Amino acid sequence: MSTNASHHNACILCSRNCGLLIETEGGQIKKIQGDPATPSSKGYLCQKAARLAHYQSHPDRLQQPLKRRPDGSFEAVSWDQALDEIAAKLKAIRTQHGGRAFAAYGGGGQGNHLGGAYMRQLLKAMGSRFIYTALAQEKTGDFWVNGRMFGKQTCHTTEDIEHADFVLVLGANPYQAHGIPNARDTLKQLHNNPERTLVVIDPRRTDTAKLADIHLALRPGTDAYLMAAMLAIIVTEDLHNKAFIAEHCNGFDAVEAVLRQVPIAAYVDIAGLPLDTVQQVARGFARAGSACVRADLGIQQTINSTLNSYLEKLLFLITGQFGKAGGNNLHASLLPLFTDSDERKPGIVRTARHNMFPIAGLYPPNLLADEINHDGEDRIRALWIDSGNPVNSIADTAALETAFAKLELLVVVDVAMTESARMADYILPAASQFEKAEYTGFNLEFPENYFHLRAPLFEPLAQSLPEAEIYTRLLEKLGAMPKATGLLRAVGRRSSATGNFKPFLITLAAHLALRPKWLPYAASLLYRSLQQPLGKLAPAAVLLPLALGYAHEHADAVRSAGHADGAALFRAILQNPQGIVLSRHQRTAMWGLIKTPDRKIRLQIDPLLDALRTLAATPPGVTDASFPLLLMAGERRIYNANQILRAPSWRKQDPDGALRIHPDDAALYGLVHGARARCSTRHGSIEVTVDCDANARTGFASLPHGYGMRAGDSEPLGPQLNRLTGREHCDPFTRTPYHKHVAVRVELI
Ligand SMILES: Nc1nc2c(c(=O)[nH]1)N[C@H]1C(S)=C(S)[C@@H](COP(=O)(O)OP(=O)(O)OC[C@H]3O[C@@H](n4cnc5c(=O)[nH]c(N)nc54)[C@H](O)[C@@H]3O)O[C@H]1N2
Ligand SMILES: Nc1nc2c(c(=O)[nH]1)N[C@H]1C(S)=C(S)[C@@H](COP(=O)(O)OP(=O)(O)OC[C@H]3O[C@@H](n4cnc5c(=O)[nH]c(N)nc54)[C@H](O)[C@@H]3O)O[C@H]1N2
Ligand code: SF4
Ligand SMILES: [Mo]
């Protein structure tokens, strides 16, 4: 493509997907700036985006399909050979063992959800429901609570931080991890405005906590106690919003009865905080003109994970800080990133070994090793990994390696030679996110929501292909779907030329009505039918029915954003490489997003009220003297980005991903700054570099995630921290790992 030109695109390193202007030269990324034309980020970006060239070009990019030889080495094979052999093996496994023998992991990361739409068709072709994703080791507790409260697990809450008078950041570090609009600017604005209050609840003095008016440095893992105490203070001081509760909620009486029994002073003591400050925060939140909660892994990947998500929502619900500017809100979604799978309803498929149900349609990675590694006839025998590196990112690396070795077929689709790919039977090279059309479904805003389809900047590297092409070819080889008919292609061409997609959709609907068994493969049919007219954007053809559905459901909001109907919305998506405003909702429209039959929020969730009633009288913490220190296994830092940026050259600081430990603890354990040490748990041990850091909390060290990748044939660089974590150390209900609460020992080497 053109040289020395600036192209609209987006950052792929976190869920914000900030708009970028990327200057290219000779097929390389030359310069990256924030894109002022992107309506969501308006020119904002953080320091990580400037280093994206290290994602696009590095020696471990995959260039051709690879097949494992019996001696463990890989040989390059053609696409046809790889896909023919894979299709034959998949068919044999499906015939012999049925759909339950197949599972997938991944289907999208921080920047790429387009391939996932195509990967899901493969699950359908295999007759399997088993999709394991990273979301099901962080957010499924939150989704489950949403299902109970709002009627569907697809109801999802967001926070209007920019307009809030009072912001409670709970177990999140947006200064480094982002996750909120233009995080650093937004936090600084809060900090600089004396009329607004920022409260941060975090055991460590993070960069976000440094900007706070109040930092509640609670004892790790005690959030449920703290939130219970705050809710109890609100109720006993009559600060709950009775008018809001009467109008919008059910079940408050049952919640109130439990809250009135909470021993406030004792719980605040367990959290290790001063009572008067906690009272001040609870009162401030309840009385604020507008207030919202921003929560993330600090409460989700620790003790009481699901209960924490419940209490967090009760905070903004019983105070009426919901459904208004500056509060928490539900939002509309263009893409179905997850579904509703209420485990009480019929048709829910449970896993063979653990009898685990899906939440939001997703199965927990913490169980994956066990579901492969058992002797039952219905164990997982074939695993498909796309856009994930579970060997490094799922708890208990050793268990996963044992399980993977037992698989009859492991296929990995990735852009790079990952630790998971090294174990695969076949590795399929995907074009990078700058070599194909891409988007994400992280459009979680209200009242204005955005969408950004990115056009490719470069041709696919060597033989790599976009996922849309990989899966469509495989489905064709599996005989699951035919090649698109000439009629569909012809009508598709005409519709694209006129921009009127009605005739095309009518023809497609007629085809599918006659051959309903093609319905699960609508994404690939759309792709093939519109491939020629849409060119490089053809993989985005799946957006056509989604845009129509969205415009139908949110007609006024889509029109307010300037799109007359669904076809116009689809055209706008295709024609605006900087991103678009998808919908502009009336604030009152939010109540229509609640999916309970009476549109009321159900506050009473009995199992969680039981859990609240029976919270232990002693704080969580260290129980085994041989592992005396708590480790936060997975801190977001200035230079980590999951496993997306593999080349070590991308990091300007912290090349070793050091163990941050308070100087007093270092002295206690005989550690010195810069020294190498051994960090051990019951599950394993790794070597780390010691960083004495006064911002750490005594008794609570931290290691970053997003390290431990190999470069070429090197040893893992930085901590492979899931060699330390155990898969049973998790929320008993959702199986979300307690990564923020791992008991370790650290010794000087
Ligand atoms: N730089 C960078 N940014 C990223 C990523 C990355 O790899 N690097 N990854 C992205 C992804 S996938 C995600 S999910 C998000 C996660 O984003 P965050 O959840 O914001 O990031 P973390 O650093 O994992 O954890 C947040 C905070 O939880 C605190 N914490 C630990 N234990 C407790 C506790 O018991 N209670 C409370 N209240 N807090 C506790 C930690 O001290 C930490 O500051 O970040 C995204 N953004
Ligand atoms: N101990 C511990 N473990 C953790 C965490 C923690 O804090 N502590 N955090 C957890 C969290 S919140 C998350 S979200 C997970 C993330 O873990 P994973 O779900 O494994 O995902 P990523 O680390 O984002 O890996 C992304 C992969 O996608 C590949 N990729 C990039 N672009 C493309 C593309 O266009 N196509 C394809 N097919 N592949 C591509 C990259 O090369 C990389 O291998 O890790 C979890 N694991
Ligand atoms: S890492 Fe996140 S906040 Fe930083 S530029 Fe990329 S998308 Fe934006
Ligand atoms: Mo995540």
Side-chain angles (χ1 to χ4, degrees), residues 110 134-135 137-139 296-297 301 442 636 642 705:
Q110 302 296 302
L135 275 176
Q137 46 81 75
E138 51 172 316
K139 297 281 177 286
D296 214 329
L297 302 184
Q301 287 190 338
F442 292 136
R636 270 70 189 160
N642 291 10
H705 95 140

Side-chain angles (χ1 to χ4, degrees), residues 496-748:
S496 304
T498 59
N500 173 13
F501 287 94
K502 246 195 203 139
F504 171 70
L505 283 165
I506 291 169
T507 316
L508 180 67
H511 268 68
L512 293 176
L514 280 174
R515 303 166 191 86
K517 69 176 191 202
W518 292 0
L519 200 59
Y521 314 110
S524 280
L525 267 179
L526 277 154
Y527 166 63
R528 279 279 186 258
S529 308
L530 296 176
Q531 193 164 10
Q532 196 262 339
L534 295 189
K536 294 197 184 305
L537 295 181
V542 284
L543 290 173
L544 176 57
L546 294 174
L548 271 110
Y550 192 84
H552 178 73
E553 197 179 340
H554 310 289
D556 292 344
V558 168
R559 264 197 304 274
S560 296
H563 318 294
D565 56 18
L569 176 57
F570 181 61
R571 283 196 303 273
I573 289 172
L574 295 177
Q575 289 163 7
N576 287 280
Q578 78 284 10
I580 60 161
V581 178
L582 176 64
S583 49
R584 230 174 238 128
H585 303 253
Q586 298 283 334
R587 285 227 166 248
T588 48
M590 198 220 68
W591 303 104
L593 300 175
I594 297 178
K595 298 293 179 201
T596 53
D598 57 2
R599 303 249 190 248
K600 285 201 167 190
I601 304 158
R602 299 184 197 124
L603 298 179
Q604 178 179 352
I605 305 182
D606 287 329
L608 294 178
L609 285 175
D610 286 344
L612 177 57
R613 213 181 278 118
T614 55
L615 268 179
T618 48
V622 168
T623 50
D624 182 344
S626 44
F627 300 106
L629 195 64
L630 278 177
L631 175 75
M632 167 181 167
E635 182 189 354
R636 270 70 189 160
R637 292 187 182 168
I638 190 160
Y639 282 111
N640 62 1
N642 291 10
Q643 310 269 316
I644 308 166
L645 275 160
R646 299 183 59 84
S649 50
W650 95 273
R651 304 187 206 275
K652 279 194 175 172
Q653 298 171 19
D654 200 16
D656 298 338
L659 177 90
R660 289 183 176 158
I661 185 166
H662 194 275
D664 293 351
D665 283 333
L668 185 64
Y669 300 113
L671 307 171
V672 274
H673 186 77
R676 295 288 284 171
R678 178 158 296 286
C679 181
S680 316
T681 65
R682 278 195 304 115
H683 295 276
S685 79
I686 56 173
E687 274 188 31
V688 296
T689 299
V690 175
D691 176 4
C692 294
D693 176 6
N695 290 314
R697 184 195 167 90
T698 51
F700 193 48
S702 84
L703 280 170
H705 95 140
Y707 283 71
M709 293 87 98
R710 293 164 195 267
D713 289 330
S714 82
E715 287 299 304
L717 302 168
Q720 277 196 325
L721 79 177
N722 283 314
R723 296 213 176 268
L724 299 175
T725 56
R727 60 201 189 285
E728 76 296 340
H729 185 52
C730 63
D731 187 276
F733 185 67
T734 57
R735 312 292 182 139
T736 295
Y738 292 154
H739 284 327
K740 303 283 185 244
H741 208 83
V742 178
V744 299
R745 178 173 63 231
V746 186
E747 300 147 301
L748 209 59

